[in-house]
Amino acid sequence: MKEWLKRVEKAENLEELETLRIQILGKKGIVSAQFIKMKTLSNEEKKSFAKELNEYKDSFIKAINLRKEILELALSSKILKADKIDISLFNSKGNRGALHPVMDTMDRIVDYFVSMNFSIKTGPIIEDDFHNFEALNLPKHHPARDMQDTFYFKDNFLLRTHTSPVQIRTMLKHKPPIRIISPGPVFRRDFDLTHTPMFNQVEGLVVEDEDKVSFSNLKYMLEDFLKYMFGDVKIRFRPSFFPFTEPSAEADISCIFCEGKGCRVCSHTGWLEVLGCGLVDNNVFKAVGYEGVSGYAFGLGVERFAMLIHKIPDLRSLFEGDLRLLEQFK
Ligand code: PHE
């Protein structure tokens, strides 16, 4: 009997244990066989024999159940171990992602203006004629509309060609003082080395009561901003035209490819145009019902900044998702 108990304790798996259980406790098992033997004994002997036999039976049952529990536990932990995914495992190839250069540049631009106390405003990408053109002093059939090749929908809707409509929406909702930037995607029918049908802009607007805002404020801010973005470059403001600003200017930086000596990128002028700006035209203020205020506005293309900062020759490559390009920005 003791021999059988030992075998139970040493059973290596559940199948072996089940076979043992049948051999010990089954109808034709060793315990039953002992009970049959009992018939041949005297009544006196029967009593003590039955007692001993029942004790054995109990200890068999206990031993089998205990062994079963142990084997089941071992089996489930074996299954769990085999299924385990070690998410903490370090990837030895070091294949880490990085921000896309356009988003990285966008973040830097936004960071600058947020540090200068501008707040961020966004607006719809599908705009209407009023917010994208009319209120910005661009009446229907105005020739300056050709400056922005527009994607039109039916019923006066269009894909916004700049984020200036966000400025209109902000002024219609709030009274001055206003100090906002509007970052986001814009759309134009353009496709070549330096233009894509979708690109990102950051435009800015500052409006205050009376004549508190001047061109010097604008110039000071943008010079500081351009130095922050491009480092030690020369900056110049050149008179220009935008329907929504008067006077208007474009800001140039000295060419960062040839340091102003003249090369293909700067068309041998030594200068690179980087943004448009000006004092807000009074007609724009009229369109939003403002009176007796002054303000400045500016606008820039984020992809163009990214191209110049990282010296990327073809703007279109920023949109192709080619890993060989993107891996250089880790
Ligand atoms: N909205 C102009 C554009 O997209 C940029 C701009 C903004 C110019 C504000 C001047 C002032 O071309």
Side-chain angles (χ1 to χ4, degrees):
M1 289 284 187
K2 278 207 175 112
E3 190 54 35
W4 284 96
L5 262 180
K6 271 200 184 121
R7 284 171 71 180
V8 168
E9 277 160 18
K10 282 185 182 154
E12 273 179 18
N13 53 53
L14 288 167
E15 291 80 39
E16 192 186 326
L17 186 67
E18 178 62 9
T19 313
L20 278 170
R21 188 189 67 80
I22 294 167
Q23 283 173 339
I24 298 168
L25 299 170
K27 261 188 206 156
K28 290 175 186 166
I30 54 154
V31 175
S32 293
Q34 292 297 321
F35 273 113
I36 292 166
K37 238 193 203 172
M38 212 165 63
K39 286 180 192 161
T40 60
L41 296 176
S42 68
N43 277 353
E44 253 325 276
E45 284 169 320
K46 259 184 201 166
K47 234 183 174 182
S48 62
F49 188 82
K51 197 180 163 227
E52 200 184 343
L53 201 54
N54 274 324
E55 274 167 14
Y56 263 116
K57 196 181 168 186
D58 280 349
S59 55
F60 276 133
I61 293 172
K62 262 189 204 143
I64 290 171
N65 284 343
L66 182 69
R67 191 68 195 153
K68 197 175 169 199
E69 233 173 83
I70 292 170
L71 288 173
E72 276 174 352
L73 213 79
L75 182 69
S76 70
S77 82
K78 195 174 152 195
I79 292 172
L80 282 177
K81 245 185 208 156
D83 267 3
K84 193 169 148 195
I85 298 168
D86 184 358
I87 54 167
S88 71
L89 193 64
F90 183 72
N91 179 353
S92 59
K93 284 186 193 135
N95 234 346
R96 286 206 298 156
L99 272 187
H100 190 280
V102 174
M103 282 304 109
D104 185 50
T105 307
M106 177 76 105
D107 284 355
R108 274 183 67 191
I109 296 170
V110 170
D111 278 354
Y112 175 85
F113 288 107
V114 167
S115 81
M116 288 298 184
N117 218 11
F118 282 72
S119 43
I120 301 169
K121 289 271 181 225
T122 53
I125 285 169
I126 296 176
E127 263 297 357
D128 53 40
D129 195 89
F130 173 77
H131 293 92
N132 196 81
F133 288 130
E134 199 96 30
L136 287 159
N137 196 28
L138 268 149
K140 290 218 166 57
H141 312 299
H142 192 289
R145 282 197 181 200
D146 293 347
M147 287 164 75
Q148 308 188 343
D149 289 305
T150 312
F151 289 107
Y152 284 101
F153 298 111
K154 279 188 275 180
D155 305 326
N156 269 337
F157 286 108
L158 45 85
L159 286 175
R160 68 178 182 192
T161 57
H162 46 187
T163 59
S164 310
V166 180
Q167 308 181 358
I168 299 298
R169 288 178 182 278
T170 307
M171 287 192 283
L172 285 170
K173 231 193 247 163
H174 304 282
K175 291 268 151 276
I178 283 179
R179 198 173 173 84
I180 58 152
I181 50 165
S182 43
V186 301
F187 304 83
R188 295 184 195 178
R189 283 171 39 216
D190 245 345
F191 192 60
D192 60 36
L193 270 184
T194 52
H195 297 90
T196 48
M198 190 285 284
F199 62 100
N200 291 277
Q201 271 195 336
V202 176
E203 294 209 355
L205 173 72
V206 171
V207 184
E208 291 197 38
D209 283 336
E210 293 156 34
D211 52 4
K212 282 189 191 148
V213 176
S214 72
F215 206 95
S216 336
N217 300 143
L218 169 67
K219 202 167 167 242
Y220 176 85
M221 165 74 68
L222 290 180
E223 274 179 354
D224 189 54
F225 165 65
L226 291 174
K227 292 229 149 91
Y228 172 81
M229 293 303 292
F230 294 105
D232 192 19
V233 288
K234 276 190 219 128
I235 295 161
R236 73 173 185 190
F237 286 78
R238 198 167 24 78
S240 184
F241 170 78
F242 297 102
F244 24 85
T245 46
E246 180 61 35
S248 305
E250 279 172 308
D252 297 340
I253 58 169
S254 52
C255 181
I256 49 178
F257 292 89
C258 63
E259 277 155 19
K261 288 184 203 89
C263 66
R264 207 176 57 90
V265 183
C266 60
S267 309
H268 304 283
T269 61
W271 294 96
L272 296 165
E273 179 203 316
V274 286
L275 56 82
C277 60
L279 293 184
V280 180
D281 194 295
N282 222 26
N283 284 339
V284 176
F285 286 143
K286 262 193 213 151
V288 296
Y290 277 9
E291 242 176 89
V293 296
S294 57
Y296 68 69
F298 55 88
L300 61 89
V302 180
E303 279 76 1
R304 178 158 173 77
F305 270 56
M307 252 179 109
L308 295 176
I309 289 168
H310 298 294
K311 301 196 161 72
I312 299 166
D314 186 340
L315 186 82
R316 293 172 293 192
S317 60
L318 288 173
F319 295 92
E320 283 163 359
D322 188 331
L323 288 178
R324 287 169 303 176
L325 177 99
L326 298 176
E327 268 169 359
Q328 298 172 47
F329 298 100
K330 277 183 188 166

